[in-house]
Amino acid sequence: MKVLLINGSPHREGCTHTALAEIAAELQKQGVESTEFWIGPAPQGGCLGCGGCARTGRCVQKDKVNEALELLGEVDGLIVGTPVHYAAASGSVTGFLDRLFYAGSASLRYKPAAAVASARRAGTTAALDQLNKYFTFNQMPLVSSQYWNMVHGTCPDEVRQDAEGLQIMRQLARNMAWMLRCIEAGKAAGVPLPETEEKVRTNFIR
């Protein structure tokens, strides 16, 4: 079993990474492998609405999104970490996820997912609500912890002093490992995936 950890911060080893590293360490204790994918400091543009990904399964913009798409088939779960900018996920995370989910939704469907937010003080719950919408739109079971998935601090050393936040990360990792084992046991017992109807699209203006 393997979980993809997306680091949506422009700082490779900043506060978001510190939270994800705590998750990765606990996942390892639970016998679950993880890979941290850093989207990098370059701005990640939003979707162009060109429809190219529907034909190829890849984004026409040649950047980190396509690198991440290559990993989706190898993982069983997803955790997205973001810094908080103005009570929301960063612009790069938003652009990245818009395109990742447009192009890779089939590879992510039914895989457990969670969002993690890092902030100095506030705005985390709004950012988590924003990110969770990607998962629920795509039929991905949400993995929770014992509180909202957030850490606080202006630098990694301050995040490491957030004892409650780090505990939340560890419990999130344990809950992810448990859900992955449950899904694996269900597959072994012959439990099929839910039947999915063909999507109906109702436009409000006709």
Side-chain angles (χ1 to χ4, degrees):
M1 293 179 287
K2 188 173 184 179
V3 177
L4 179 63
L5 310 173
I6 294 180
N7 180 354
S9 171
H11 306 291
R12 186 166 199 159
E13 297 184 352
C15 297
T16 303
H17 162 77
T18 304
L20 294 177
E22 192 75 9
I23 292 170
E26 185 60 35
L27 284 174
Q28 185 176 31
K29 290 180 183 178
Q30 298 295 321
V32 177
E33 187 182 351
S34 66
T35 296
E36 183 174 328
F37 182 89
W38 181 46
I39 70 172
Q44 300 295 307
C47 178
L48 301 176
C50 68
C53 63
R55 297 187 297 272
T56 66
R58 293 292 179 269
C59 184
V60 299
Q61 301 180 58
K62 312 298 184 184
D63 59 10
K64 288 283 189 173
V65 170
N66 286 325
E67 292 180 31
L69 286 169
E70 295 290 339
L71 302 175
L72 298 186
E74 306 171 3
V75 300
D76 306 290
L78 177 71
I79 297 177
V80 178
T82 183
V84 172
H85 294 171
Y86 290 93
S90 72
S92 284
V93 169
T94 302
F96 179 91
L97 290 181
D98 280 357
R99 294 187 290 124
L100 185 77
F101 273 78
Y102 270 127
S105 60
S107 297
L108 288 167
R109 197 167 294 129
Y110 302 120
K111 293 181 178 180
V116 169
S118 168
R120 181 191 69 84
R121 183 174 177 85
T124 46
T125 53
L128 291 173
D129 286 344
Q130 175 191 353
L131 295 184
N132 284 339
K133 290 179 174 66
Y134 289 96
F135 312 141
T136 56
F137 186 90
N138 202 47
Q139 302 183 68
M140 301 173 73
L142 287 182
V143 182
S144 60
S145 186
Q146 62 198 39
Y147 193 75
W148 295 297
N149 303 334
M150 61 182 73
V151 296
H152 291 89
T154 56
C155 63
D157 283 342
E158 289 186 0
V159 172
R160 294 186 190 103
Q161 296 176 55
D162 181 6
E164 183 177 2
L166 294 182
Q167 185 180 64
I168 292 165
M169 298 302 107
R170 293 191 298 272
Q171 188 61 52
L172 174 61
R174 287 190 286 269
N175 290 352
M176 171 65 81
W178 171 78
M179 187 174 290
L180 290 174
R181 287 194 290 268
C182 288
I183 292 173
E184 187 176 55
K187 289 179 180 177
V191 178
L193 291 174
E195 179 183 351
T196 300
E197 298 181 21
E198 184 175 349
K199 185 173 286 189
V200 176
R201 295 183 181 274
T202 303
N203 296 332
F204 294 104
I205 299 175
R206 298 178 182 273

